[in-house]
Amino acid sequence: MGSLDRSLIAGLSVFESLSAADLDRIVGQARSLRIPRDQPVFEQEQEAHSFFLLLDGHVRVVKSTPDGHEVTVRYISPGELMGIAHALGRTTYPANAIAAVDCVALAWPSQLWPTFAAEFPSFGANTYKAVGSRLQDAHSRVIEMSTEQVDQRVAHALLKLVKQTGKRTEEGILIDFPISRQDIAEMTGTTLHTVSRLLSAWEGEGLVRSGRQKVTVVEPHRLLLIAEGRVEKG
């Protein structure tokens, strides 16, 4: 395999403020990976042998609970790090990471993590900032689960995915990777039946359009009103 070029990582927020020489050194120690759709990047409780940067595609992060349930925690988009267990003080991965579509990523041995964090302080600071943002997202989801109605939670989840991955089309804003109603149910702590009922009702009202593993938000402002609890129930 030929050497990787720094243009792969230049301009990404986690590598801000690094010189060309620093970027060359970092990317020179990476290996590139192609992960087919539905295949794991890494698995929960597996030894954290590597950390990764997603270059193309989307990755679903899924947490397995002790009683055998799976909860979709979040989606990783291009430009984001994943598998940064060592930044959390862990030696194993805290969740499963599964390619939602065919993906391309860079991987570094986890043993390089302390070296990178020490020798490239902005990289370490940006990474911990990203970790903090994800923890804040997790905290917000706990609050949503305990205080919001299910229609608010589903609306919030769709709006978050539109903000993260939305692609404007003639119909509206498409969530730009395959997502099933079961995935949405796992994200929002509800059942497949409830998500199907809500999406069907919202399709009838012209808020969304959905098909096989596809969701398009047609009226984001009206969906936001639902998410914020500002729509009276009939």
Side-chain angles (χ1 to χ4, degrees), residues 11-22:
L12 300 179
S13 59
V14 72
F15 298 109
E16 279 181 352
S17 304
L18 293 180
S19 69
D22 290 340

Side-chain angles (χ1 to χ4, degrees), residues 119-162:
E119 296 188 8
F120 311 115
S122 63
F123 169 79
N126 290 333
T127 300
Y128 286 119
K129 181 179 178 181
V131 169
S133 176
R134 293 179 191 180
L135 291 175
Q136 182 61 45
D137 283 347
H139 179 68
S140 297
R141 285 191 62 197
V142 170
I143 294 175
E144 288 174 9
M145 293 286 191
S146 60
T147 64
E148 294 185 350
Q149 299 295 318
V150 65
D151 60 339
Q152 292 178 268
R153 300 201 304 268
V154 173
H156 262 137
L158 294 180
L159 289 169
K160 181 180 290 186
L161 291 171
V162 160

Side-chain angles (χ1 to χ4, degrees), residues 160-211:
K160 181 180 290 186
L161 291 171
V162 160
K163 181 178 179 181
Q164 185 178 4
T165 73
K167 178 181 179 182
R168 192 165 291 280
T169 68
E170 291 182 358
E171 294 181 338
I173 307 174
L174 172 69
I175 296 173
D176 196 23
F177 57 83
I179 184 166
S180 68
R181 295 184 174 193
Q182 181 63 43
D183 293 332
I184 297 169
E186 291 175 3
M187 289 183 70
T188 55
T190 189
T191 64
L192 173 61
H193 172 76
T194 298
V195 170
S196 295
R197 176 178 57 80
L198 281 172
L199 290 183
S200 295
W202 291 346
E203 282 193 74
E205 296 172 22
L207 273 68
V208 303
R209 298 193 67 171
S210 64

Side-chain angles (χ1 to χ4, degrees), residues 105-124:
L106 297 181
W108 291 266
S110 288
Q111 66 195 39
L112 290 176
W113 171 260
T115 301
F116 282 7
E119 296 188 8
F120 311 115
S122 63
F123 169 79

